[in-house]
Amino acid sequence: MAQWIHMSQMIQRLSDDTVNNLYPPTAFPIEVRHFLAEWIESQRWDDFALEKVDLESQAQTLLDQTISKLQSISQQNANVVDKLKLMQISRNMSMLNQQPLRFAVMVKEILAKERALLGTLPQTPSSTPQYQQHQNRENSFPSMQDVDHLVLKVLEVQDIRQKMHQLQEELNWERQNFEGLQGPIQQNGMDPKNSEIQKLQNHIQQLEYNVKALATKRFQLLKECVDCLDQCQTRLISRLKAWQWEQHKATIGHPFDENLHPLQTWCEQLLGVNGKLRQELMLIGEPIPELQERLGKLLQVLIQSSLMVEKQPPQVIKTQSKFCTTVRYLLGEKVASGKPVVLKAQIMNEMQARNLGSVPGDNVGELINNTAILEHNAVSKSTCATFRNMSIKKIKRADRRGSESVTEEKFALLFSADITITGCDTPYRIQMISLPVVVIVHGSQDNNALATIIWDCAFSESDRVPFVVPERVPWRMMYSTLNSKFTSEVQTTHNLDHYNQHFLAQKIFDKPDFADDFSNILVSWGQFNKEVLPGRTFTFWQWFEGVMELSKKHLKTYWSEGLIFGFIGKQHLHLILKDRPNGTFLLRFSDSEIGGITIAYVSATDNGGQKIQNIQPFTKRDLDIRNLGDSIRDINDITYLYPAFPKDEVFKRFYSEPRASLPGGYIPVSLQTRVGREGREGSSVIPVTPSMTPIAVSPTSNIYPVNLFQQPLGQQEQDMESGASGEFPGFNDQASANMDIDFESMLQNLPE
């Protein structure tokens, strides 16, 4: 890699445009790069600087040695094109004789950049992910050496053709000379075996032999070029599919490099090679059907495989709602000018997607604004068609199987157009299908539709029949998906730990007492999002997705810093808190409420013992009003974050600053969280609505407490979190969290 980086950069700086157009730096002979790289790295360059004129003689010596190396390699190289290239570079470098320090500094900078680049390469992961992966990127990517080899072969074919042309011209000339001598020989009775005539005749025979030998070599090289092109293109197509596969996996949080420019470069280079080879076949003068047919098929596959959905449409689409998507053509710069290329989008169901090559069936939906022109951007060098305001007006659903719901039915968008490439006589039909989408008609269906997409993205195979997915998968794959989705949605590097994993498995399999490994137990689609959890009104996915949303909007920093224990069952909670001092607490996600986080803490009983209590979960609505850090500060019963961190040290930076005085003489109003009957002794009761709790007004206090909108909990949450089942007598009834507002002080201090 080192030799490629700095030698390619040197060639780009030192070679003139004419030579580079003929023979690009990436095609520079690998052996030469390797030899020069080793020599360059063996020299000392770090001391050079433009202002160090005393080192000019040393720089001149290194420049002379480099030029000498290039010239020496040039003389030893049998390839004409390589020789010309090396000679041209050495001549260009000779221009630096007046500025040797400039040359030395340039090499120094290139090597420094190279070291920095190599130092940023990612480390190889210690273990492979559990989920299925597409073919390794490096294996599927056309290597630099492959393209070097192909380009060199094409140049060699062109070189042979030029030599044949020269030999043929010489042969034609000598034949003409020989025919011109036939008359005088017959008229003057000259001996046909005359030495000069015999030499000419032998020379003609030698030229004929050389032309035939080159023709044979030319044919063999052409065949090798087509074979090499086929191999390069096969690997390129594989890489295009890998890019699409990685794009699919990005939905569940897997890393994805969306840059298509390198793939576009390869497509363009292979198209250029294909065109040169077809041209060489035409110049032979006699047809070679086998090679012509192979090149034609390779050309068709390349043209039709270069259409990519760069920006996928939303995978959950609501009818009558606008959405956008972008389709990119990687051979856009080669599209014939004149008539614009118009891409059309249409929606298709699963059955139509499986029979993409057959006659299209019934129209299953009506799209609005479903055409876009393929436009080239000279700045980004990309050619795209952007559908900015597309919408599904109506959809026709297939007959559902059994208990299948509308949110389980998958569709896709098909993009197609007729396109003509410069240098090709006939237009080609190109088309590309989007990732599967679920069409809904109401926002309430969004969560279930997303579950369908998550299952599809996580567990589908790369070359599947559209849109087949397994009905059951091992828990280890499910957990990997949940972890990947959670961390990507919350935008955190803090993963779910093995405690979280075990509790999630206990929950989805309804096995709260199971202590063994769940990894190979199969979890079904029904358990994921069709069957409601025992004692609940929601599915596993609906509950998990609620936690993700809450964490994404309100708990990202808390989670990322490890302040939230997360998913934990009552047995584990009791075990880790039972021997802790009073006031020890931890933050866990609510088991009974969608999108809630609760505080579990140790408190004293009336008889001097201990009990574990759980504060009513804080939901998005609560945290919109008062952040979690302030609520933790307000609650006097909790003092140490498990295992023994003083809460004010841990959460201090999350506390809000006191509000400054308001203009107009108003006194600021603050909200505070109160737990249970905290601060209510000696209160005078006043009438309240069901969502409010009567609390005493202290003569010296500026607080008049009002309970915020509390939501009732299901019986199972109370049983689980309070230990009402009797299994853990240390659990007590759930405490409620209130927020207080100082109305009396506000009324007394209002300006006149």
Side-chain angles (χ1 to χ4, degrees), residues 313-333:
Q315 289 193 260
V316 177
I317 302 176
K318 184 175 176 291
T319 55
Q320 311 291 335
S321 298
K322 293 180 181 179
F323 63 91
C324 67
T325 182
T326 301
V327 181
R328 179 168 173 176
Y329 192 56
L330 302 182
L331 295 175
E333 291 190 350

Side-chain angles (χ1 to χ4, degrees), residues 363-383:
N363 192 355
V364 299
E366 183 179 345
L367 290 176
I368 299 175
N369 300 324
N370 64 328
T371 59
I373 296 176
L374 205 59
E375 298 177 309
H376 182 70
N377 186 318
V379 177
S380 64
K381 296 184 179 179
S382 61
T383 304

